[in-house]
């Protein structure tokens, strides 16, 4: 009987060790860490369940998948574009845009690649803005209000560019913090 009890005790220790190992593995698989200004979209078999924004060591059930996304401010300096201004003059123009992800679900699921989407919208918005303003003042006519120009009214142009970009990128869950012209010159012909 004593040998039987020793074998039974060894068997219980083995079963207990395996059970403890499985439970430990289950708990470890659900752990993830999150930095400040970072969010994690939580998905259950492809179905969006919410966004976790709290930094630190976090845990969810292991069958929930997680997609991390940065909420930090990002900076884009667009390529120098050759466009025509309001009067048809060819100008070179570039912008510097500061943006960040506001809605993680929209950024991950409403567009294929939100970073590429923002880059394209910056170029498109810049082309559109340039076509609404003349590069510089033409001849001054008495009694007629001066029109806004790209060169003389940079603050107003930047404000309109920011509003235009905000409308364009809102579908991707992105917000524009600031938009400024970074380069402006007549295009060499």
């Amino acid at each position: 009987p004593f040998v039987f009890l020793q074998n039974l005790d060894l068997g219980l220790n083995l079963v207990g060790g395996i059970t403890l190992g499985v439970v430990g593995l289950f708990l470890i698989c659900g752990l993830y860490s999150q930095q400040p200004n970072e969010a994690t979209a939580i998905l259950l078999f492809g179905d969006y369940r919410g966004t976790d924004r709290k930094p630190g060591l976090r845990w969810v059930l292991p069958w929930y998948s997680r997609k991390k996304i940065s909420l930090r401010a990002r900076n884009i300096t667009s390529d120098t574009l050759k466009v025509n201004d309001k009067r048809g003059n060819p100008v070179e123009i570039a912008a510097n845009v500061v943006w960040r992800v506001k809605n993680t679900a929209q950024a991950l699921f409403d567009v294929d690649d939100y970073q590429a989407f923002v880059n394209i919208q910056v170029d498109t918005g810049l082309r559109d803005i340039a076509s609404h303003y003349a590069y510089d003042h033409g001849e001054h006519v008495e009694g007629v209000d001066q029109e806004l120009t790209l060169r003389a009214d940079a603050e107003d142009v930047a404000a309109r560019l920011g509003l235009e970009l905000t409308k364009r990128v809102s579908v991707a869950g992105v917000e524009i913090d600031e938009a400024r012209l970074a380069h402006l010159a007549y295009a060499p012909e």
Side-chain angles (χ1 to χ4, degrees):
F2 184 69
V3 172
F4 175 74
L5 289 176
Q6 280 183 329
N7 287 340
L8 182 63
D9 188 40
L10 182 63
L12 289 176
N13 284 341
L14 183 62
V15 170
I18 290 173
T19 303
L20 188 60
V22 169
V23 169
L25 185 63
F26 176 79
L27 292 174
I28 287 174
C29 287
L31 285 176
Y32 64 98
S33 67
Q34 190 155 281
Q35 304 298 321
N37 283 324
E38 188 176 65
T40 302
I42 309 294
L43 304 156
L44 177 61
F45 305 115
D47 187 26
Y48 176 72
R49 291 296 184 190
T51 298
D52 183 11
R53 295 175 187 267
K54 188 175 178 187
L57 187 61
R58 314 290 293 149
W59 186 82
V60 293
L61 292 170
W63 48 83
Y64 281 91
S65 61
R66 302 167 294 272
K67 290 187 177 188
K68 289 189 176 186
I69 187 167
S70 175
L71 303 176
R72 293 179 177 102
R74 300 171 194 207
N75 192 36
I76 296 174
T77 300
S78 71
D79 294 330
T80 301
L81 305 174
K82 184 178 175 184
V83 296
N84 291 332
D85 71 355
K86 184 178 179 179
R87 294 187 184 128
N89 299 319
V91 295
E92 290 180 344
I93 192 167
N96 187 10
V97 179
V98 179
W99 63 278
R100 71 180 70 232
V101 173
K102 185 73 170 175
N103 185 318
T104 57
Q106 282 183 304
L108 290 173
F109 306 120
D110 287 355
V111 294
D112 284 333
D113 180 357
Y114 66 92
Q115 293 174 334
F117 181 80
V118 171
N119 288 338
I120 291 168
Q121 295 307 317
V122 167
D123 286 349
T124 306
L126 194 55
R127 286 182 188 279
D128 184 52
I129 290 298
S131 69
H132 285 88
Y133 295 97
Y135 175 80
D136 206 355
H137 292 292
E139 297 175 8
H140 180 66
V141 179
E142 285 292 325
V144 176
D145 290 336
Q146 290 288 326
E147 66 179 340
L148 298 178
T149 64
L150 292 170
R151 195 173 80 136
D153 302 298
E155 292 295 321
D156 294 325
V157 173
R160 181 161 178 193
L161 177 62
L163 290 174
E164 180 72 23
L165 291 176
T166 297
K167 286 190 295 189
R168 289 175 178 269
V169 299
S170 65
V171 69
V174 172
E175 72 177 359
I176 302 296
D177 290 342
E178 183 180 5
R180 298 253 175 235
L181 294 183
H183 174 77
L184 181 64
Y186 279 116
E189 287 293 313

